[in-house]
Amino acid sequence: MKKIIYLFGSTLLVLSCEQPEVGYISDNIHSLQDTITVPRGVFYSSTPPAVEGSTYPMEWSITGVTDKDGKPTTELQDLHEILTWTAPFDPKTDTTLELAMKKLKLSPQPSIIMNPVSGEFVFTQASKNVVNDDFIINVNAKNVRGERQLDKFTWVKMTPFVPIEFKTEMRSRLQLGKGGGVWDTGYTYSVMNESDPKVAGVLDGTDPYITIVKISDEPKLAVKVKMIIADSHGTALDPNKVVFNYSGSEPLQNYHDNTIGTVLDAESTTFGLPAPPFPQYARNYQGNDAYLMYYLTTADAFTVDKAAFEAANGVKDWTNYIDPATGQIRNRAYIRWGVKINDSGTWEIKMKIPYTTKK
């Protein structure tokens, strides 16, 4: 009986010396994006991969890149000197060019970087120099339990550089006033997003109401944006008659917040930033809506072109909008921009307000 107890006790002793398994690493770690489509020359980050219950922290690294035929290439990892923002522009603190320049860094960077902690891919503006279109990425994932070599982890497809992104809906709107601060929508012209068929005309300058064209390659590294608001015939408005759109006591986000000083001439307001993308700052929104920028015109900027309006839209009863003091139709413009400028140089953004004539 004593011998049996001794053996049982020995067994317990042996079991107590065995080390328990630490952590877990899955055999099914995978990218959530089979193909990552990246516009050249634009900062872009991918979705973090699925680790399928693997123990954190994880450590990630790129172990190789091949072309679409499986031949090794260093094209995505070759270094190119680029100017990058190390922190977002803030108009409250970056009040001079010198202060803003402290947030910019000219340095050699690869086109692709893998975040070693999250596993996200980050694509830098250096990708503007990438020639080939398709790449296969091999990675390694490691944690306390072990590691996994993940060949053909994801496919990267480079698309052409997009100097202008249409992030959200833009509007050129004629508003009609009833008096007492009440405004109706008279007519709205919209460009919805990058899929809108109007985009081609916007970029080549032929759209009837909204155009965005590059007018100079200078400055080489910085960006300037010249905003023109005009009547429906193309006559530019005095920029002093283009004012902020307020919500309560605060203006909605605007291009003035995204510049270090503004320059006005008789027909335009020019905004400047030491490096793209522009705009950099969003007062009210995030995501695609971060690119919404709002303005109004003063009520004495235009007269309404009634003949043109009725020729296109039919006869209208204007009675509620007539100012008894002047006999004219109360009106103003509602202006909403929604683009992101990724390229340096000088850009002209012009919006004509439907059915208006400059006073």
Side-chain angles (χ1 to χ4, degrees), residues 26 46 68 94 106 109 112-113 148 209 232 248 287 320 325 328 331:
S26 172
S46 70
K68 63 181 179 180
D94 304 329
L106 189 63
Q109 296 291 336
I112 187 172
I113 300 168
R148 295 285 185 267
Y209 291 112
S232 59
N320 290 334
Q328 294 185 342
N331 73 91

Side-chain angles (χ1 to χ4, degrees), residues 82-102:
I82 59 173
L83 187 64
T84 58
W85 290 92
T86 60
F89 174 78
D90 186 343
K92 301 183 190 73
T93 57
D94 304 329
T95 53
T96 67
L97 181 61
E98 182 181 14
L99 289 170
M101 290 298 291
K102 290 180 179 179

Side-chain angles (χ1 to χ4, degrees), residues 88-96 99-100 103 250-251 253 256-260 281-284:
F89 174 78
D90 186 343
K92 301 183 190 73
T93 57
D94 304 329
T95 53
T96 67
L99 289 170
K103 291 184 173 180
E250 289 288 322
Q253 56 194 34
H256 284 74
D257 282 343
N258 286 271
T259 193
I260 302 169
Y281 173 76
R283 179 191 293 271
N284 306 92

Side-chain angles (χ1 to χ4, degrees), residues 20-213:
E21 292 186 357
V22 178
Y24 168 73
I25 186 165
S26 172
D27 291 324
N28 190 34
I29 297 172
H30 61 278
S31 172
L32 291 174
Q33 295 173 273
D34 292 335
T35 301
I36 304 173
T37 302
V38 184
R40 284 175 170 82
V42 174
F43 183 88
Y44 177 84
S45 59
S46 70
T47 303
V51 299
E52 300 297 339
S54 299
T55 303
Y56 287 101
M58 301 287 292
E59 182 181 337
W60 300 86
S61 62
I62 296 173
T63 56
V65 180
T66 69
D67 64 18
K68 63 181 179 180
D69 299 317
K71 296 178 181 177
T73 176
T74 63
E75 192 173 0
L76 288 182
Q77 295 164 301
D78 292 340
L79 302 182
H80 301 277
E81 197 166 62
I82 59 173
L83 187 64
T84 58
W85 290 92
T86 60
F89 174 78
D90 186 343
K92 301 183 190 73
T93 57
D94 304 329
T95 53
T96 67
L97 181 61
E98 182 181 14
L99 289 170
M101 290 298 291
K102 290 180 179 179
K103 291 184 173 180
L104 289 165
K105 183 179 181 181
L106 189 63
S107 62
Q109 296 291 336
S111 298
I112 187 172
I113 300 168
M114 191 172 201
N115 187 313
V117 177
S118 69
E120 294 169 279
F121 294 108
V122 173
F123 297 86
T124 74
Q125 293 90 333
S127 63
K128 194 173 183 180
N129 299 285
V130 172
V131 176
N132 291 307
D133 295 333
D134 298 284
F135 300 90
I136 299 167
I137 313 298
N138 305 322
V139 308
N140 183 269
K142 183 187 301 184
N143 68 3
V144 66
R145 180 62 177 161
E147 61 184 287
R148 295 285 185 267
Q149 176 60 32
L150 306 168
D151 292 333
K152 299 181 179 179
F153 185 67
T154 194
W155 188 294
V156 170
K157 186 170 185 63
M158 305 299 301
T159 59
F161 175 57
V162 181
I164 302 291
E165 292 182 75
F166 292 79
K167 304 297 288 187
T168 189
E169 181 187 1
M170 295 186 290
R171 295 174 185 164
S172 172
R173 173 177 290 170
L174 170 65
Q175 290 186 321
L176 302 175
K178 289 184 174 181
V182 178
W183 297 90
D184 288 346
T185 297
Y187 184 87
T188 301
Y189 183 84
S190 295
V191 177
M192 299 300 296
N193 51 41
E194 62 185 12
S195 301
D196 195 312
K198 300 187 190 80
V199 164
V202 171
L203 294 176
D204 68 16
T206 62
D207 188 84
Y209 291 112
I210 301 174
T211 56
I212 301 172
V213 293

